[in-house]
Structures are given as structure tokens and as C-alpha cells.
């Protein structure tokens, strides 16, 4: 570009000169706006979509077999599953829901009664009980419950390194006891403040401890209807147990919440995005922290130096569970530990609940077809909800999934399916005598 005097001036210099004339406050405003957009997308916030939809939430999608008695007799009567899940407005992000889960959830003060259970290999499992009679404000009686002896029992299986003290576990334990149930939290071996008393530690696929606990409870309370609820990795262990034991499971029904399903797919998912890598680090460190409580046992059975250097869940499992279980590779361990491969063998009524936006357990791992083929399973999915969160209400203190579980189990307990299951247990018991 030429000036009036005929001198050539670079257009880039003119542009730079023009940019310097813009007030710095405008640049700061632009940078702030860019930061907002970045954070909005990073945290997958959906408040704008919620505003557009009038905060109406989203429908619950149900996947089931057309010949399912579970659907006809139980799920069809669950109003929550035929309604809409509406996330707490100021928690319109799967990451906010997941990260703040144990911060926001509050429950009234109560104490468990602890039972120490010894497994067949000499291991120790802490069973923490909360009875219906321990909750003073209870005013509910479940349909089908006529006497104290008829009060149903629900086993709660915590997630990865959670135990009975975790806020969300206390939340469901209190809610179920308040609604007329007896509750027992089955802590994983080595967690819940108990030592490792055998040459074996808890892993993502260790379902035999749960099996022994279920058989113990059924043996000591043969007339009591027993149910189970698994959360996160606890859901994977529960469903894996149900698939391994098939018709021999002495449970009336079960519920799986935020199950990772396929640990091989989940492992790949943890390497994709910034937030997934963040969760991978956090959960990996949590596993290392739990292992340090039992360093002597881990050092004998696995590679302790490798565990200390671990930065992810994959690293931790590679130096611990893979070695202790004599697996050829970490992928082989993840395949074995996954519950998705056993879904078709589940023979008890099972409700599975997953959020599509779960930032820890990808929906790509959900065994849609296998769930649809099994008449004993109903899969419920929501667009939002995060990982074992599903916050609802303006205060952000209530978890929708807990209400879903209570309604589902209560309807199942009141149905003819319970009677059929209890009769099946009696028939199986008589055959083994």
C-alpha cells in the first residue's frame, strides 16, 4: 500500500497499528469470553440446552425384551422410569455432578453395626448393617411385608475404593432403611478399615467374596427376601457374580448403577480427553492409597515398585491384579474382569441404570443387545446424570437414582416374581439335600 507521499507501507503494519488502538479492556473481555467457552465445553455444561427446553429434563430410555415379565409386572409400575430426569440447574454438567458427589451429599447421623465375615480362604470382609428399626423416623411398610421376619434385606456393594462411610453409600443405606428395608453394606476386602488376612486382595473382577457373603446371608436368613444394589465398579462385580452363578443366585432381584461394563473399552476411554485423563490419575492414586494400607501383602503378591510408580488405573492393575492373577497381559485381565461378557447368563431380575454423559464409564461399553435379549434385564439410560450422581432438586442434595432403586425394589418385592424366586430357592435347596 502506498501513502500520499508515495511511500510503500505494509498492510500488516497498518493492521498492527489498528489493533493497538483497541482498548486493552476489550481484549480482556474477549479472553474472558474465550475462557468461558473453553470451560463450558471442557466440563460439558448443558445449562443452555436446559434453558431452551424449559428445564424439562429428558425422558428415560428403556431397553428390554418384549417377553419380559420384569418389565410387565415391575418396571411398568415404576413412575420414575416413565417420567423425566431433571438435573439440578447449577449442576448442569456431568463433571460437576461427578466431582461434587461426595461433597454435596449429606445424610442424618447414624451408626452401622459391624459384622466380620471370614471367607473360605481366610480373608476378612466387613459387613456394616443398618436395620429398619434403627431409623427412628421410618414410617413406611413395604407391600408384601407382614411381620418383622418378612422385612427384606438389601446388600449394597460400593464402588472402586468406596466403603460404607462414603457419603453416597450412606445416602442409599439410610434411604432404604427409612423406607422399610434392612441394609447391609458389603465392603470390599481390605477396605472399610479391616486388614488383609489372606494372600489375596480385592480386584475389579473379584466376585467370589460377594458370592460367599450372599450365600452366608441366605443360609442364616433362609426365609428373608434378599436383594442387591451395586454402584460403579461394585455394579460390575455384582453383575459379574450374577452371570457366573446363573440360576444358583439366591437373590430375588438386583440393581446396577453406573456400571463400567467393559473394562477394556473403559481403559481406552480414560486416555481420550483431558477430563478422562484427570479421572484416570485421581482414581489411580486412590487405588495406590488403598494398597499402601496393606503394603506387605501387595509386595508379596505383586510388583510393589511398579505400584508405587503407577500413574493410572491401567498401570496399577498391570502391576497388581495382572501379576497376582497370573494373566498374560493387562488386557486379558480387563476382559476377564468385565461383566458385559456374562450379561446373557443373568437369571434374576436386574435393573441397570447408566447416564449417557457419564464421564467415567463410557456408554460405548454398554451391552445394549445382550440386555435386550435377556428377559430378566431392563436397561434404563438417561442423557445426563454423570457418574453415580443424578442430582435432582434445587438444593443439590438429592440423588434421583436412589429414588429409582427404592421404587424398583419395592415394586419387585410386591410382585409375584418375588414369590416365584423364593420358591425357586426352596426347590434348589431341596435338590442339594
Amino acid at each position: 500500500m502506498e501513502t500520499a507521499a508515495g511511500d510503500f507501507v505494509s498492510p500488516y503494519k497498518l493492521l498492527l497499528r489498528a489493533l493497538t488502538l483497541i482498548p486493552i479492556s476489550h481484549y480482556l473481555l474477549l479472553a474472558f469470553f474465550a475462557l468461558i467457552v473453553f470451560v463450558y465445553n471442557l466440563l460439558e455444561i448443558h445449562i443452555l440446552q436446559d434453558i431452551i427446553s424449559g428445564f424439562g429434563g429428558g425422558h428415560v430410555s428403556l431397553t428390554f425384551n418384549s417377553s419380559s415379565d420384569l418389565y410387565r409386572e415391575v418396571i411398568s409400575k415404576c413412575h420414575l422410569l416413565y417420567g423425566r430426569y431433571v438435573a439440578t440447574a447449577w449442576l448442569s454438567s456431568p463433571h460437576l455432578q461427578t466431582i461434587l458427589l461426595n461433597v454435596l451429599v449429606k445424610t442424618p447421623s447414624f451408626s452401622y453395626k459391624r459384622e466380620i465375615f471370614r471367607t473360605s480362604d481366610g480373608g476378612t470382609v466387613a459387613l456394616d448393617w443398618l436395620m429398619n428399626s434403627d431409623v427412628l423416623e421410618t414410617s413406611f411398610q413395604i407391600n408384601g411385608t407382614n411381620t418383622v421376619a418378612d422385612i427384606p434385606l438389601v446388600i449394597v456393594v460400593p464402588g472402586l475404593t468406596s466403603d460404607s462411610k462414603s457419603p453416597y453409600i450412606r445416602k442409599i443405606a439410610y434411604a432404604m432403611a427409612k423406607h422399610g428395608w434392612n441394609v447391609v453394606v458389603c465392603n470390599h476386602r481390605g477396605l472399610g478399615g479391616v486388614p488383609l488376612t489372606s494372600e489375596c486382595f480385592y480386584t475389579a473382577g473379584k466376585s467370589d467374596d460377594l458370592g460367599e457373603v450372599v450365600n452366608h446371608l441366605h443360609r442364616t436368613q433362609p426365609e428373608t427376601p434378599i436383594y442387591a444394589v451395586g454402584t460403579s465398579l461394585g455394579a460390575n462385580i455384582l453383575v459379574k457374580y450374577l452371570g457366573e452363578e446363573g440360576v444358583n443366585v439366591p437373590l430375588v432381584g438386583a440393581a446396577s448403577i453406573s456400571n463400567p461394563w467393559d473394562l477394556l473399552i473403559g481403559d481406552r476411554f480414560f486416555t481420550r480427553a483431558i477430563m478422562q485423563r484427570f479421572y484416570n490419575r485421581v482414581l489411580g492414586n486412590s487405588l495406590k492409597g488403598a494398597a499402601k494400607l496393606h503394603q506387605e501383602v501387595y509386595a508379596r503378591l505383586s510388583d510393589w515398585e511398579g505400584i508405587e510408580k503407577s500413574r493410572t488405573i491401567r498401570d496399577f492393575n498391570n502391576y497388581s491384579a495382572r501379576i497376582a492373577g497370573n494373566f498374560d497381559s493387562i488386557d486379558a485381565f480387563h476382559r476377564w474382569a468385565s461383566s458385559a461378557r456374562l450379561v446373557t447368563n443373568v437369571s434374576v431380575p436386574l435393573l441397570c441404570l447408566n447416564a449417557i454423559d457419564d464421564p467415567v464409564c463410557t456408554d460405548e461399553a454398554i451391552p445394549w443387545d445382550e440386555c435386550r435379549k435377556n428377559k430378566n434385564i431392563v436397561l434404563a439410560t438417561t442423557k445426563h446424570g454423570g457418574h453415580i450422581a443424578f442430582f435432582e432438586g434445587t438444593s443439590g442434595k438429592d440423588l434421583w437414582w436412589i429414588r429409582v432403586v427404592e421404587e424398583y425394589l419395592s415394586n419387585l418385592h410386591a410382585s409375584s416374581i418375588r414369590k416365584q424366586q423364593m420358591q425357586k430357592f426352596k426347590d434348589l435347596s431341596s435338590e442339594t439335600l
Side-chain angles (χ1 to χ4, degrees), residues 154-176:
V154 59
I155 304 168
V156 178
V157 188
L160 189 65
T161 55
S162 298
D163 59 22
S164 58
K165 293 181 181 178
S166 300
Y168 74 96
I169 295 297
R170 289 178 61 85
K171 186 81 169 179
I172 186 173
Y174 187 86
M176 295 303 294

Side-chain angles (χ1 to χ4, degrees), residues 142-403:
I142 305 169
N143 290 335
T145 301
N146 300 313
T147 66
V148 173
D150 292 332
I151 296 177
L153 171 65
V154 59
I155 304 168
V156 178
V157 188
L160 189 65
T161 55
S162 298
D163 59 22
S164 58
K165 293 181 181 178
S166 300
Y168 74 96
I169 295 297
R170 289 178 61 85
K171 186 81 169 179
I172 186 173
Y174 187 86
M176 295 303 294
K178 177 182 174 182
H179 284 81
W181 295 73
N182 289 333
V183 183
V184 59
V185 180
C186 179
N187 294 287
H188 304 294
R189 68 164 66 192
L191 297 178
V194 298
L196 286 178
T197 55
S198 69
E199 296 297 287
C200 181
F201 51 75
Y202 144 70
T203 71
K206 186 167 180 54
S207 56
D208 50 346
D209 282 353
L210 175 61
E212 290 195 34
V213 168
V214 171
N215 289 335
H216 161 69
L217 295 173
H218 178 61
R219 187 167 54 250
T220 55
Q221 304 181 44
E223 300 301 320
T224 298
I226 305 176
Y227 303 77
V229 178
T231 58
S232 189
L233 192 65
N236 180 71
I237 290 173
L238 172 60
V239 175
K240 182 172 180 284
Y241 157 69
L242 297 178
E244 288 170 336
E245 296 301 318
V247 296
N248 297 316
V249 174
L251 294 175
V252 175
S256 160
I257 311 299
S258 298
N259 189 345
W261 294 107
D262 190 315
L263 304 189
L264 191 57
I265 293 177
D267 177 50
R268 304 290 189 269
F269 178 64
F270 273 129
T271 65
R272 286 188 189 173
I274 295 175
M275 291 305 295
Q276 275 64 52
R277 291 195 291 271
F278 164 74
Y279 294 122
N280 203 4
R281 285 287 189 90
V282 171
L283 295 174
N285 286 333
S286 179
L287 286 168
K288 286 169 60 176
K292 286 179 180 178
L293 298 174
H294 314 285
Q295 181 175 341
E296 291 185 6
V297 177
Y298 274 83
R300 285 197 300 270
L301 301 176
S302 55
D303 182 348
W304 182 253
E305 289 186 6
I307 289 176
E308 286 190 309
K309 295 177 182 177
S310 297
R311 305 180 73 180
T312 65
I313 297 174
R314 180 184 179 87
D315 290 343
F316 180 87
N317 285 336
N318 185 48
Y319 291 116
S320 60
R322 178 190 63 80
I323 295 174
N326 294 316
F327 289 94
D328 293 333
S329 67
I330 185 59
D331 286 351
F333 166 73
H334 284 151
R335 289 191 192 94
W336 169 82
S338 298
S339 61
R341 64 185 179 85
L342 296 164
V343 167
T344 54
N345 297 337
V346 173
S347 64
V348 304
L350 173 65
L351 171 67
C352 305
L353 176 63
N354 282 83
I356 299 301
D357 70 354
D358 190 323
V360 175
C361 301
T362 174
D363 63 306
E364 296 171 16
I366 298 175
W368 303 90
D369 292 337
E370 290 82 355
C371 288
R372 185 179 293 107
K373 291 176 182 177
N374 191 329
K375 64 180 181 180
N376 297 307
I377 297 176
V378 171
L379 170 65
T381 55
T382 59
K383 185 176 180 180
H384 301 301
H387 186 66
I388 33 175
F390 299 91
F391 280 99
E392 65 174 352
T394 56
S395 66
K397 295 181 180 179
D398 298 316
L399 304 180
W400 177 78
W401 69 266
I402 292 180
R403 290 203 297 135

Side-chain angles (χ1 to χ4, degrees), residues 400-428:
W400 177 78
W401 69 266
I402 292 180
R403 290 203 297 135
V404 169
V405 168
E406 190 280 321
E407 182 183 47
Y408 158 70
L409 291 182
S410 294
N411 284 339
L412 177 57
H413 186 70
S415 72
S416 63
I417 294 178
R418 171 181 60 98
K419 297 176 182 178
Q420 295 169 11
Q421 289 290 102
M422 295 298 288
Q423 184 59 49
K424 183 182 74 172
F425 304 154
K426 293 180 180 178
D427 295 339
L428 287 173

